[in-house]
């Protein structure tokens, strides 16, 4: 067997030439490499991603391999992949939830554009890719998460702690579990605030990489209560391409901006329809407005989801299409969006200056 005449420090030097394309720093500086060893002509290492749903995994892996194979005597590179999701910064006195690294709100200006569908499928996709995920239904008046997740039960309480239910490996909490059936809740703002706080603070969420919040439509009490009390890693805005939906999406963007919550990006749902009979594509609600709006406002575009009867059926029957796995044609868009969301969260957590640094004086 050929012997690579090099030591670990030379390998580290080569790894410093591999950049994380989103964070614009090398992977050694970012502490993404560990367990480097050289044995004969083989270099082995562990590469630690900032999310198991990293969209750049293969690209960075290839760059590592390329750089190391340039070293004299190296014939093989063995890469073990791990992930460690960074925690969001605690923002402006907003107190985080112990054990929960990131809280992500799924919002829209207009109702019925697919927030719950996106929240459910992105949650399932993140879980399938290896993240610890929970989904909180913050739509207290119109909770649709129980139906879309196929979870119907009554959560147990232990003392003042509420045990969430579980579906598709995801912990779930919803007002729909406490008030099932068709009887509407008629509450004023303070009651809403109180139930949202209980869901956030008194539910045993456990150790989570991502807690996804499915918001009601608009920019009202619940949105305010949430954005002002917990440190959100960011908000995802869902819209359809119609002008009416986009008009309201712009309001949601402004709301997040005003309360200083990072906008992770825009999802264009019901983006187009492909006829199953003739394969012709029809832009039922127009097309491209989500991307254009993201450009106008300088926020990321996370992807588009086609209008698909199977997505609707998955929602109605509690079998989200994302549970079919990333290879499924119906699920692919949600996996791509989930990766983008996870990447944006990592970038937000790792690029902004930590709060402590701002207060340190020389
Ligand atoms: N891409 C899609 N293809 C087909 N049907 C979809 C798609 N996205 C959402 N739907 C369907 O459209 C309806 C509304 O979606 P959903 O409930 O997710 O919207 P929402 O924004 O959460 O609504 P609300 O504002 O009432 O909370 C549901 O029946 C859902 O199954
Ligand atoms: Mg909804």
């Amino acid at each position: 067997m050929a012997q690579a005449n090099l030591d670990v420090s030379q390998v580290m030097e080569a790894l410093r030439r591999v950049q994380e394309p989103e964070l614009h720093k090398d992977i050694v500086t970012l502490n993404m490499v560990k367990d480097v060893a050289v044995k004969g002509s083989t270099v082995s290492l562990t590469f630690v991603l900032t999310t198991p749903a990293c969209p750049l995994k293969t690209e960075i892996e290839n760059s590592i391999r390329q750089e190391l194979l340039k070293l004299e005597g190296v014939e093989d590179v063995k890469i073990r992949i791990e992930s460690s999701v960074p925690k969001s910064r605690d923002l402006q006195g907003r107190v985080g939830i112990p054990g929960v690294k990131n809280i992500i709100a799924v919002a829209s200006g207009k109702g019925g554009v697919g927030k719950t569908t996106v929240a459910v499928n992105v949650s399932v996709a993140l879980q399938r890719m290896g993240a610890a995920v929970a989904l909180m239904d913050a739509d207290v008046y119109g909770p649709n998460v129980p139906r879309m997740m196929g979870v119907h039960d009554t959560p147990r309480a232990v003392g003042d702690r509420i045990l969430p239910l579980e579906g598709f490996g995801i912990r779930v909490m919803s007002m729909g579990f406490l008030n099932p059936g068709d009887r509407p809740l008629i509450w004023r703002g303070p009651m809403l605030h109180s139930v949202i706080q209980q869901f956030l603070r008194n539910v045993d969420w456990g150790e989570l990489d991502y807690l996804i919040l499915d918001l009601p439509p608009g920019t009202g009490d619940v949105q305010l209560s949430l954005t002002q009390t917990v440190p959100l890693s960011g908000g995802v805005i869902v819209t359809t391409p119609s002008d009416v939906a986009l008009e309201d999406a712009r309001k949601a963007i402004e709301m997040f901006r005003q309360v200083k919550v990072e906008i992770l990006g825009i999802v264009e749902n019901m983006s187009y329809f492909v006829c199953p009979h003739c394969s012709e594509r029809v832009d039922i609600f127009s097309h491209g407005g989500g991307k254009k709006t993201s450009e106008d406002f300088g926020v990321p575009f996370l992807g588009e989801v086609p209008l698909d009867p199977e997505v609707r059926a998955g929602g109605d029957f509690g079998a989200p299409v994302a549970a079919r796995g990333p290879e499924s044609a119906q699920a692919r868009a949600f996996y791509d969006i989930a990766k983008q969301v996870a990447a944006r969260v990592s970038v937000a957590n790792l690029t902004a200056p930590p709060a402590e640094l701002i207060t340190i004086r020389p």
Side-chain angles (χ1 to χ4, degrees):
M1 186 170 38
Q3 186 73 36
N5 191 17
L6 81 169
D7 58 28
V8 169
S9 66
Q10 287 166 288
V11 173
M12 293 305 271
E13 212 178 290
L15 290 171
R16 279 188 190 280
R17 291 194 284 274
V18 179
Q19 289 272 314
E20 212 287 356
E22 299 249 37
L23 299 166
H24 308 295
K25 284 186 187 150
D26 73 86
I27 58 173
V28 177
T29 304
L30 289 167
N31 279 328
M32 295 175 92
V33 183
K34 61 178 194 180
D35 310 330
V36 176
V38 184
K39 201 169 175 195
S41 58
T42 302
V43 177
S44 61
L45 60 92
T46 302
F47 178 47
V48 188
L49 297 164
T50 62
T51 171
C54 180
L56 301 166
K57 182 158 77 180
T58 316
E59 188 183 325
I60 306 176
E61 232 186 302
N62 288 342
S63 307
I64 293 176
R65 206 158 261 136
Q66 227 173 41
E67 279 302 332
L68 295 182
L69 286 171
K70 279 187 205 160
L71 296 173
E72 209 182 314
V74 176
E75 285 172 9
D76 192 15
V77 178
K78 289 197 162 54
I79 304 175
R80 219 174 79 86
I81 302 276
E82 272 181 18
S83 62
S84 170
V85 175
K87 191 179 169 315
S88 75
R89 292 157 291 133
D90 282 354
L91 297 170
Q92 296 157 8
R94 296 169 201 181
V95 182
I97 304 172
V100 178
K101 290 181 174 170
N102 293 287
I103 308 173
I104 301 165
V106 179
S108 76
K110 185 168 159 46
V113 293
K115 288 175 296 301
T116 309
T117 304
V118 168
V120 161
N121 282 289
V122 163
S123 297
V124 172
L126 287 171
Q127 195 276 342
R128 287 288 155 108
M129 289 188 277
V133 185
L135 175 58
M136 177 181 136
D137 189 346
D139 196 342
V140 176
Y141 292 134
N144 294 134
V145 167
R147 176 182 293 276
M148 289 203 194
M149 288 290 285
V151 180
H152 306 279
D153 213 338
T154 310
R156 284 195 309 122
V158 179
D160 68 346
R161 309 294 300 164
I162 309 167
L163 305 182
L165 298 176
E166 202 176 307
F168 302 97
I170 294 166
R171 294 189 188 128
V172 191
M173 188 60 204
S174 168
M175 196 62 208
F177 299 146
L178 308 176
N179 182 45
D182 296 330
R183 195 165 44 90
L185 279 181
I186 304 166
W187 283 352
R188 290 190 196 281
M191 286 290 281
L192 274 184
H193 181 78
S194 144
V195 79
I196 291 291
Q197 290 309 312
Q198 281 194 33
F199 278 9
L200 289 169
R201 311 280 175 200
N202 292 20
V203 170
D204 271 343
W205 292 114
E207 300 287 320
L208 295 179
D209 294 320
Y210 307 106
L211 171 61
I212 312 286
L213 308 180
D214 176 30
L215 262 51
T219 53
D221 285 348
V222 169
Q223 290 79 352
L224 264 184
S225 181
L226 277 167
T227 49
Q228 290 178 342
T229 49
V230 282
L232 292 175
S233 297
V236 171
I237 293 168
V238 181
T239 184
T240 66
S242 77
D243 285 346
V244 175
L246 288 165
E247 192 170 285
D248 294 351
R250 290 194 283 273
K251 290 202 183 96
I253 295 175
E254 286 301 342
M255 173 191 76
F256 281 128
R257 286 203 165 150
Q258 277 182 28
V259 291
K260 305 220 169 352
V261 169
E262 176 91 15
I263 296 164
L264 300 172
I266 296 181
V267 172
E268 183 174 289
N269 187 29
M270 310 189 192
S271 201
Y272 56 90
F273 175 71
V274 178
C275 172
H277 308 294
C278 66
S279 298
E280 192 189 330
R281 177 182 154 140
V282 188
D283 293 343
I284 293 181
F285 296 109
S286 177
H287 183 254
K291 188 156 199 320
K292 164 120 190 12
T293 305
S294 72
E295 286 162 3
D296 290 349
F297 282 80
V299 298
F301 182 64
L302 300 170
E304 44 189 50
V305 182
L307 189 64
D308 182 336
E310 300 223 21
V311 171
R312 196 273 313 148
D316 279 355
F317 300 121
V321 290
R324 300 180 188 183
E327 307 308 327
S328 145
Q330 284 76 26
R332 205 169 300 138
F334 291 112
Y335 278 80
D336 289 344
I337 290 165
K339 287 181 190 171
Q340 289 306 320
V341 170
R344 298 324 318 163
V345 168
S346 294
V347 170
N349 291 345
L350 296 173
T351 52
E356 305 85 65
L357 285 185
I358 297 169
T359 54
I360 289 172
R361 306 236 188 316

